[in-house]
Amino acid sequence: MQMFLLKSRREREKIIVQTMINLYCAGNHANKTELCEVCADLANYAEKRLLSCMYGDIKPVCKKCPVHCYSPQKREQMREVMRWSGPRMLQKKPFYAMVHFIDNLFAPKPIGKLVRRKSK
Ligand code: SF4
Ligand SMILES: [Zn+2]
């Protein structure tokens, strides 16, 4: 728990997003023990986007980002995961849910519109 809090906000976000995808996949797809191909692909994509975020460590909340580097299809997939897993995080991972809420509350506002990255 302490180690988790010592990580950067981006690192924490990476772990929380992966947790939300895990929850979603376990609740909606056949295989309960490991991620299905679609969710594994989304998890991989989200991690890459996060690690190469053009805002770096002053990244805003993705939902409020004016650039939004996700492809429309992946953005919709992620929205669905967030919609489903968001309320369940409170029950299953309350600590992560609380940290995520606070991190989002204090996330920097996006600085203008930076050059858009090409997304696949
Ligand atoms: S959506 Fe915006 S904040 Fe999120 S990773 Fe992409 S560029 Fe960064
Ligand atoms: Zn899945």
Side-chain angles (χ1 to χ4, degrees), residues 15-53:
I15 294 168
I16 290 168
V17 168
Q18 302 294 327
T19 305
M20 292 177 90
I21 296 173
N22 290 348
L23 269 184
Y24 177 83
C25 190
N28 292 280
H29 301 149
N31 192 339
K32 306 279 178 205
T33 51
E34 61 183 46
L35 287 181
C36 72
E37 214 174 295
V38 173
C39 293
D41 181 52
L42 180 65
N44 193 27
Y45 183 89
E47 182 174 344
K48 281 192 184 139
R49 294 284 100 196
L50 194 57
L51 294 179
S52 62
C53 175

Side-chain angles (χ1 to χ4, degrees), residues 49-50 53-55 59-62 65 67-70:
R49 294 284 100 196
L50 194 57
C53 175
M54 61 188 74
Y55 290 103
K59 75 173 284 303
V61 176
C62 290
C65 176
V67 175
H68 219 298
C69 62
Y70 278 53

Side-chain angles (χ1 to χ4, degrees), residues 5-120:
L5 291 175
L6 291 175
K7 291 179 187 295
S8 71
R9 187 168 59 90
R10 252 199 308 177
E11 273 295 314
R12 290 197 295 270
E13 186 169 331
K14 188 179 97 182
I15 294 168
I16 290 168
V17 168
Q18 302 294 327
T19 305
M20 292 177 90
I21 296 173
N22 290 348
L23 269 184
Y24 177 83
C25 190
N28 292 280
H29 301 149
N31 192 339
K32 306 279 178 205
T33 51
E34 61 183 46
L35 287 181
C36 72
E37 214 174 295
V38 173
C39 293
D41 181 52
L42 180 65
N44 193 27
Y45 183 89
E47 182 174 344
K48 281 192 184 139
R49 294 284 100 196
L50 194 57
L51 294 179
S52 62
C53 175
M54 61 188 74
Y55 290 103
D57 285 328
I58 54 160
K59 75 173 284 303
V61 176
C62 290
K63 202 166 66 176
K64 295 183 182 160
C65 176
V67 175
H68 219 298
C69 62
Y70 278 53
S71 70
Q73 188 222 357
K74 289 283 192 289
R75 190 176 182 174
E76 194 41 52
Q77 265 181 281
M78 188 55 87
R79 265 207 201 114
E80 175 62 27
V81 168
M82 295 289 152
R83 253 196 310 263
W84 195 90
S85 295
R88 287 162 179 89
M89 285 286 281
L90 282 171
Q91 262 190 329
K92 309 234 179 207
K93 300 279 179 187
F95 177 68
Y96 280 2
M98 187 189 70
V99 171
H100 196 48
F101 175 77
I102 293 169
D103 276 349
N104 284 354
L105 205 60
F106 293 102
K109 300 272 176 287
I111 315 159
K113 189 159 184 155
L114 301 181
V115 180
R116 186 185 286 268
R117 250 177 233 269
K118 266 203 157 163
S119 48
K120 286 180 205 157

